[in-house]
Amino acid sequence: MKYLEGIAEFCSVAEVGNFTGAANKLDTSVAQISRKVASLEKQLGVKLLQRTTRSVSLTEAGELYFKQVQPALQALEDAQLAVSALQQSPQGLIKLTAPVAFGEAFIAPLLNTFMKMYSGISVQCVFSNEKLDIVEMGLDLAIRIGKLQDSTLVAKKLATRHLYICGSPSYFEQHSVPQTLDELKQLDLLVGSQPFWRAVIDNKVHSIPVQGRARYNSGNALRDASLEGLGLTQLPGFYVRDDLAKGNLIEVLPALKDKQEAIWAVFPSNRNVAPKIRLLVDFLAQNIVDDR
């Protein structure tokens, strides 16, 4: 089976477009990818990749070879996935990314529960508020919130979250409860990383420009400032759900609440999704609580 060596590495470079991304995808080193591809080229007696200091592209022979071997390699992967699906207990590493605050508060505990349920599973999770390129980084999936950009990624909706405008009882002891957007803008507002709030007006979601006496790029900081009576804030339910239930915060203008913002699991579409990934995505969908 020596003739198979290097094919997976070559196809990964061809799909991703560089050696670093291919190494991340296959969980190996750039040097190993380079050696395997060079060995394949030597075996075939042709140059498959045109390398420069900034980019990697397929030669004419490389394009022809990739077109022929990629379906065969996919068939081998499909066969392996089919056999793996027969196992009673899933095995292997799952690499993913999630937003920082939401990931730390909800995804990490669920991942820990998932690993307790399936001892053969291990996890690597990168918490980041940047939209990481999961193909480039070799990740299996990403957890994302809100409107998705058009891409080749496959998305599965996990849950829906709402954005609540709220303030503390102590703040409303000093200020009247706003009944309109104009009244809201006259109050002390606590602004996040974006200079606008989302509101549903006439059944359409609008971005409402806001200015405030404090701006934090942290939901926890905004929640704390609101609890201290410094003003009103707009936050997702997972930050304020408990405080609203206990009366520590009071929701205002509920008719403006956007009820359509979704939490998604997204993953590459250029290969079949492994059973362990589908199992995790289904587990997250069952256990992430919708805002009601």
Side-chain angles (χ1 to χ4, degrees):
M1 301 292 283
K2 184 176 177 59
Y3 66 89
L4 292 176
E5 292 185 5
I7 293 179
E9 290 79 6
F10 163 71
C11 286
S12 293
V13 174
E15 289 172 355
V16 176
N18 58 70
F19 282 81
T20 300
N24 287 330
K25 178 180 177 181
L26 298 180
D27 198 22
T28 186
S29 67
V30 172
Q32 178 73 352
I33 295 287
S34 182
R35 282 195 296 269
K36 290 285 189 179
V37 172
S39 176
L40 179 62
E41 289 178 323
K42 182 177 179 181
Q43 177 184 325
L44 295 172
V46 294
K47 198 172 187 63
L48 300 173
L49 298 173
Q50 186 66 46
R51 304 166 177 82
T52 69
T53 55
R54 294 186 177 181
S55 64
V56 176
S57 59
L58 293 173
T59 64
E60 183 179 359
E63 290 180 358
L64 177 62
Y65 191 70
F66 178 64
K67 184 178 180 180
Q68 295 293 322
V69 302
Q70 200 275 337
L73 183 63
Q74 185 65 62
L76 288 173
E77 291 180 354
D78 291 347
Q80 184 172 349
L81 291 176
V83 172
S84 297
L86 296 177
Q87 298 183 99
Q88 291 185 350
S89 180
Q91 307 287 322
L93 173 65
I94 299 176
K95 297 188 287 185
L96 70 155
T97 181
V100 177
F102 183 78
E104 291 177 345
F106 292 95
I107 300 301
L110 290 176
L111 292 176
N112 294 337
T113 300
F114 188 75
M115 285 189 288
K116 288 178 68 175
M117 293 170 59
Y118 302 103
S119 60
I121 292 291
S122 56
V123 168
Q124 291 179 6
C125 188
V126 178
F127 295 113
S128 174
N129 290 331
E130 297 181 11
K131 294 294 189 294
L132 302 180
D133 187 327
I134 63 176
V135 175
E136 172 75 17
M137 296 187 64
L139 302 177
D140 295 300
L141 74 152
I143 307 302
R144 291 185 176 158
I145 299 176
K147 185 177 180 180
L148 297 177
Q149 297 177 349
D150 292 336
S151 72
T152 59
L153 300 177
V154 175
K156 177 180 173 61
K157 185 178 178 181
L158 301 177
T160 300
R161 76 170 190 175
H162 301 163
L163 296 174
Y164 294 83
I165 300 173
C166 51
S168 70
S170 63
Y171 183 81
F172 291 122
E173 288 176 2
Q174 305 296 324
H175 305 83
S176 61
V177 176
Q179 303 299 320
T180 66
L181 271 177
D182 288 337
E183 292 180 6
L184 176 71
K185 292 179 180 180
Q186 303 305 312
L187 301 177
D188 299 303
L189 304 183
L190 307 167
V191 187
S193 56
Q194 301 294 332
F196 58 83
W197 286 358
R198 292 162 58 93
V200 174
I201 303 173
D202 296 329
N203 295 320
K204 293 183 179 180
V205 178
H206 295 263
S207 295
I208 309 300
V210 291
Q211 296 180 348
R213 62 181 301 203
R215 173 174 291 179
Y216 297 123
N217 66 344
S218 163
N220 287 321
L222 290 169
R223 170 183 170 272
D224 184 68
S226 189
L227 287 170
E228 291 295 327
L230 295 177
L232 306 185
T233 189
Q234 184 181 63
L235 285 171
F238 71 85
Y239 283 108
V240 298
R241 188 185 299 118
D242 290 344
D243 290 311
L244 291 171
K246 295 175 181 177
N248 298 328
L249 291 174
I250 299 171
E251 182 185 7
V252 301
L253 299 173
L256 302 182
K257 185 163 50 187
D258 178 12
K259 300 179 181 179
Q260 302 301 320
E261 192 168 56
I263 302 167
W264 305 90
V266 298
F267 34 87
S269 61
N270 60 353
R271 64 177 186 268
N272 286 342
V273 180
K276 63 184 178 183
I277 306 302
R278 291 196 180 278
L279 191 65
L280 174 59
V281 170
D282 289 343
F283 174 79
L284 294 175
Q286 292 168 7
N287 289 278
I288 293 177
V289 179
D290 269 306
D291 282 338
R292 300 293 182 185

